[in-house]
Amino acid sequence: MFDTQVIETLKNTSRTFFLPIMRLDGQLRDTVAAYYLANRALDQIEDHPGLSAEAKVGLLRGASRLLQQETFTRHDTDRLFDPYLAQLEPVTRSFHDWSVQLPPRDVAPRLWDSLAALADRMADWVEDGFRINDQADLDRYTFAVAGSIGITLSDLWTRHAGVVTPLDGAVAFGRAVQAANIAWNHADDLERGVDFYPSGWSTGDMCRYSRRHLPGADDYNRSLPAGPIKDFCSLTLDICRTTLASIEDGTPMNRATIAGLAEQYTPAQ
């Protein structure tokens, strides 16, 4: 059920996707919210500054295994997380809610498939020390954690509204948004000892990488009919472009800026 806990968790964990998700309606909003929060739960494990690489790999691979079981209970999740419970963020501790309780039952297995693959890919990157030496490595990382999510969202658009989108555009969409967020979070990532920039790259290079994928993302967006799904994608791209401009021009950007972007779209009821 899409309740106050879900709304507050979305607001507290997402700079980019809270308002776009709120533009969706009904079952699709529940599904995308569940999928985003479950992704975020895994992401918090991958990014956690207080967990060892060994602990992260164990948690991520354990989550992947649970998602591939015929059923898994809250007890199974608690048993996996219990040794690290005090360290884990609330969004991660609620992983069972996001992956089992919130999504509609008939679509949940599609999310589990994507989430299990994502968890294993994240574990691979942790084991490799997040070594991104060149653009090919960056391409692999942005596909693993963003392009693949774009493909899953496209499947959800088709299932919910019969909308068929170009999947190469879905990957470009994910890469553009992820690269903008990498540039935005670069200083924070360096503080925890992780650098997602290829060797020798500057923030300008990362912004240009994001912008190179925007034409494909725009083609993807143009393939959508008017309505909540298009609003979700349009607002997400508006936030991406504003993020890039803020980085490149040194202009301030905060939640009020994003809220201003959202005013041109009609909230779902």
Side-chain angles (χ1 to χ4, degrees):
M1 179 181 294
F2 200 89
D3 57 16
T4 302
Q5 180 199 8
V6 175
I7 293 172
E8 288 303 310
T9 307
L10 282 169
K11 187 182 297 184
N12 292 334
T13 57
S14 178
R15 181 185 70 91
T16 303
F17 287 105
F18 169 63
L19 288 175
I21 289 172
M22 296 302 292
R23 263 53 194 170
L24 298 172
D25 55 2
Q27 187 181 83
L28 182 61
R29 184 181 62 180
D30 290 357
T31 304
V32 174
Y35 183 51
Y36 172 80
L37 289 170
N39 273 291
R40 189 64 177 163
L42 298 174
D43 186 56
Q44 290 281 8
I45 296 172
E46 181 197 45
D47 291 345
H48 200 296
L51 294 175
S52 68
E54 181 180 8
K56 291 179 180 182
V57 170
L59 289 168
L60 290 166
R61 297 223 187 274
S64 177
R65 287 193 294 270
L66 289 179
L67 288 159
Q68 294 176 69
Q69 293 177 188
E70 182 175 357
T71 60
F72 74 94
T73 66
R74 191 180 305 277
H75 175 71
D76 294 324
T77 311
D78 291 346
R79 185 170 53 188
L80 173 65
F81 291 158
D82 186 64
Y84 310 99
L85 202 58
Q87 296 168 269
L88 296 176
E89 298 288 338
V91 67
T92 302
R93 296 199 297 268
S94 298
F95 182 69
H96 185 268
D97 292 338
W98 318 138
S99 54
V100 177
Q101 297 298 319
L102 181 57
R105 182 172 299 182
D106 64 334
V107 75
R110 179 65 189 89
L111 306 187
W112 300 340
D113 176 67
S114 176
L115 291 165
L118 176 67
D120 279 328
R121 288 166 176 158
M122 285 180 169
D124 290 343
W125 279 101
V126 172
E127 287 179 325
D128 201 36
F130 297 102
R131 287 183 297 179
I132 297 182
N133 296 317
D134 53 27
Q135 185 177 318
D137 289 337
L138 180 62
D139 287 343
R140 289 192 302 111
Y141 182 74
T142 54
F143 179 85
V145 302
S148 61
I149 291 173
I151 292 171
T152 301
L153 289 175
S154 287
D155 288 348
L156 296 180
W157 308 154
T158 301
R159 181 182 182 87
H160 179 80
V163 174
V164 178
T165 53
L167 295 185
D168 58 339
V171 174
F173 190 105
R175 282 194 167 125
V177 173
Q178 182 66 25
N181 286 334
I182 287 173
W184 181 262
N185 293 317
H186 188 227
D188 290 340
D189 290 333
L190 290 178
E191 283 187 8
R192 63 185 182 87
V194 176
D195 188 356
F196 292 108
Y197 286 18
S199 299
W201 275 37
S202 66
T203 294
D205 292 322
M206 187 61 72
C207 290
R208 283 187 286 275
Y209 177 88
S210 176
R211 290 192 181 281
R212 283 201 299 275
H213 290 95
L214 282 174
D218 287 333
D219 287 344
Y220 178 83
N221 198 35
R222 280 191 290 269
S223 74
L224 297 166
I229 294 172
K230 191 178 187 72
D231 286 352
F232 170 95
C233 293
S234 297
L235 179 53
T236 301
L237 288 178
D238 286 348
I239 294 169
C240 176
R241 284 190 163 90
T242 303
T243 299
L244 292 171
S246 178
I247 294 168
E248 293 164 339
D249 302 338
T251 55
M253 180 180 176
N254 51 34
R255 286 189 180 274
T257 307
I258 295 173
L261 294 173
E263 288 179 356
Q264 64 186 298
Y265 303 101
T266 303
Q269 300 300 314

